[in-house]
Amino acid sequence: IIPDEARTFGMDSWFPSLKIYNRHGQLYTAVDAELMLAYKESQAGQILHEGINEAGSTATFTAVGTAYSTHDEPMIPLYIFYSMFGFQRTGDSFWAAADQMTRGFVIGATAGRTTLTGEGLQHADGHSPLLASSNPAAVIYDPAFAYELAHIVDSGLARMYGEGSENVFFYITVYNEPFHQPAAPDDLDVDALLRGIYRYSPAPELAGAPTANILVSGVMMPDALRAQEMLAADWGVAATVYSVTSWSELARDGIRADRAALLSPGSPEEVPFVASVLNSDATVAVSDFQRGVQEQIRAYVPGTYLTLGTDGFGFSDTRPAARRVFNIDAESIVVGALLALSRDGKVDRSVAAQAAQQYRIDDVNAAPEQTSDPGVA
């Protein structure tokens, strides 16, 4: 299900194979008929091309996602849209979809506040995961890597269409920025990935060094990994990078633990999952969304917790410049980690001040050049 401009997104590669649904078939010769990726309509088409009509597309998502009950015909809707045009514009329709027990996938494409440069405020999404988290039926993920996405989709299919199926739908953010996509680690903890957090990059071995945690989701992963290297090389700090696939799933897990304790105060308290994964080291958390997304888990993170996010309106410029404005780039993550460590007395506050001055994190003109590799999707 695609509103707006499928071809603009590069999804015209689907036209010849999946084809666009038309119950009468194609009744005209398309203007691009001689092209390899020509516009193709068919009675067997699998694409519903809705035009600039988010409300109609959400209604279609609901119709397809409830076909299992209304027509005894399980179908799997995949609704793809500018992430800003989902819960921002049609949140009430998604609430109605939940009320009707709709199942399926909604994909917030071009997600994040800094990835779609030059498009203006209407596309600068920094808050859709926060809006989505208010919907009890929405299972929300913000993956950084393709292998994470694969496991999340596999889990979604099992939860929605497998034995003991649940009346939920999955909201998954995907981005508009190419960066290196590694193979899944050999020791990947898939259960932890699906629950919302797993250790991606262990801390480097630095004898006697202060230690910290970097929590990161989505497109900010490359900056977090660069910050990990800078902390070790320039400041003698050993930081562990955790991939947070779902801030809201971690928050909901903590809320469930709180409720269990409330209902049974005499029983041993359940430890929220994020608390069982992390140690009490100082932690800095970052995403391409506003800090409220990361703040959802504050109550369940042991130790000092500092969040970085894209609060405020969008900023149409280069990605590095935008990330410097919001202070979510690698240099800002380094200063954030040092500041958190200083609050714990592990480093002197002057060290954080020195780093802030050295990296000029208050100066957009000092932002590094973009380093994305366009050859890697």
Side-chain angles (χ1 to χ4, degrees):
I1 304 167
I2 309 169
D4 214 333
E5 306 148 348
R7 175 156 276 152
T8 302
F9 277 104
M11 290 187 282
D12 46 358
S13 59
W14 289 346
F15 292 168
S17 55
L18 298 181
K19 300 183 175 59
I20 299 158
Y21 174 73
N22 184 333
R23 67 192 182 97
H24 298 296
Q26 187 152 344
L27 303 178
Y28 60 93
T29 300
V31 70
D32 58 1
E34 300 302 317
L35 299 180
M36 182 177 67
L37 303 181
Y39 201 82
K40 299 288 187 181
E41 295 186 2
S42 168
Q43 291 174 321
Q46 296 180 57
I47 300 171
L48 298 174
H49 201 302
E50 303 280 8
I52 303 178
N53 184 4
E54 285 87 14
S57 298
T58 311
T60 300
F61 168 72
T62 303
V64 176
T66 55
Y68 72 93
S69 61
T70 57
H71 300 290
D72 197 25
E73 184 67 51
M75 301 181 74
I76 305 171
L78 186 71
Y79 174 25
I80 307 172
F81 50 86
Y82 277 107
S83 62
M84 189 71 151
F85 299 169
F87 288 87
Q88 167 101 351
R89 288 193 177 179
T90 55
D92 189 53
S93 295
F94 281 125
W95 189 270
D99 188 39
Q100 295 180 59
M101 300 181 291
T102 304
R103 301 171 187 170
F105 296 95
V106 289
I107 307 298
T110 63
R113 186 145 277 170
T114 67
T115 62
L116 193 60
T117 55
E119 290 278 358
L121 295 184
Q122 71 159 333
H123 294 116
D125 172 28
H127 52 278
S128 66
L130 202 58
L131 297 177
S133 67
S134 66
N135 190 316
V139 181
I140 306 143
Y141 283 98
D142 185 30
F145 298 122
Y147 69 80
E148 294 177 351
L149 181 61
H151 284 295
I152 291 164
V153 171
D154 198 37
S155 168
L157 290 171
R159 287 182 60 180
M160 293 185 289
Y161 299 96
E163 187 175 349
S165 54
E166 301 175 51
N167 294 318
V168 295
F169 63 89
F170 276 55
Y171 175 55
I172 306 172
T173 54
V174 295
Y175 292 85
N176 191 47
E177 180 172 350
F179 59 84
H180 175 62
Q181 292 293 318
D186 292 335
D187 60 348
L188 177 65
D189 187 339
V190 176
D191 178 67
L193 183 160
L194 296 174
R195 294 185 70 176
I197 184 173
Y198 70 97
R199 186 179 68 176
Y200 175 71
S201 180
E205 295 185 8
L206 298 174
T211 54
N213 303 315
I214 300 175
L215 273 54
V216 60
S217 69
V219 78
M220 295 313 301
M221 178 62 80
D223 278 87
L225 294 173
R226 191 157 65 90
Q228 180 189 43
E229 295 176 356
M230 295 165 67
L231 282 165
D234 300 339
W235 309 100
V237 172
T240 300
V241 175
Y242 291 87
S243 179
V244 178
T245 53
S246 180
W247 305 94
S248 61
E249 286 298 285
L250 294 177
R252 288 170 175 175
D253 174 75
I255 291 169
R256 283 192 292 269
D258 284 345
R259 178 171 169 77
L262 178 69
L263 296 178
S264 185
S267 301
E269 287 204 28
E270 176 187 346
V271 178
F273 183 65
V274 67
S276 72
V277 171
L278 299 177
N279 51 38
S280 58
D281 289 340
T283 298
V284 59
V286 62
S287 78
D288 202 23
F289 296 97
Q290 66 185 61
R291 290 174 57 187
V293 174
Q294 293 82 263
E295 288 289 334
Q296 292 176 93
I297 65 170
R298 174 176 289 277
Y300 312 112
V301 175
T304 298
Y305 185 57
L306 187 147
T307 59
L308 306 176
T310 55
D311 291 71
F313 287 116
F315 184 76
S316 294
D317 205 322
T318 66
R319 290 165 178 146
R323 287 165 188 164
R324 176 55 54 87
V325 165
F326 289 116
N327 292 123
I328 58 171
D329 57 359
E331 291 78 7
S332 299
I333 295 171
V334 169
V335 176
L338 294 172
L339 178 59
L341 285 166
S342 74
R343 291 174 177 175
D344 285 350
K346 300 294 179 64
V347 302
D348 192 85
R349 190 142 178 139
S350 63
V351 177
Q354 180 186 345
Q357 183 177 24
Q358 176 177 321
Y359 297 136
R360 295 163 61 191
I361 64 168
D362 63 341
D363 184 357
V364 67
N365 295 314
E369 292 297 318
Q370 185 154 336
T371 58
S372 295
D373 179 4
V376 183

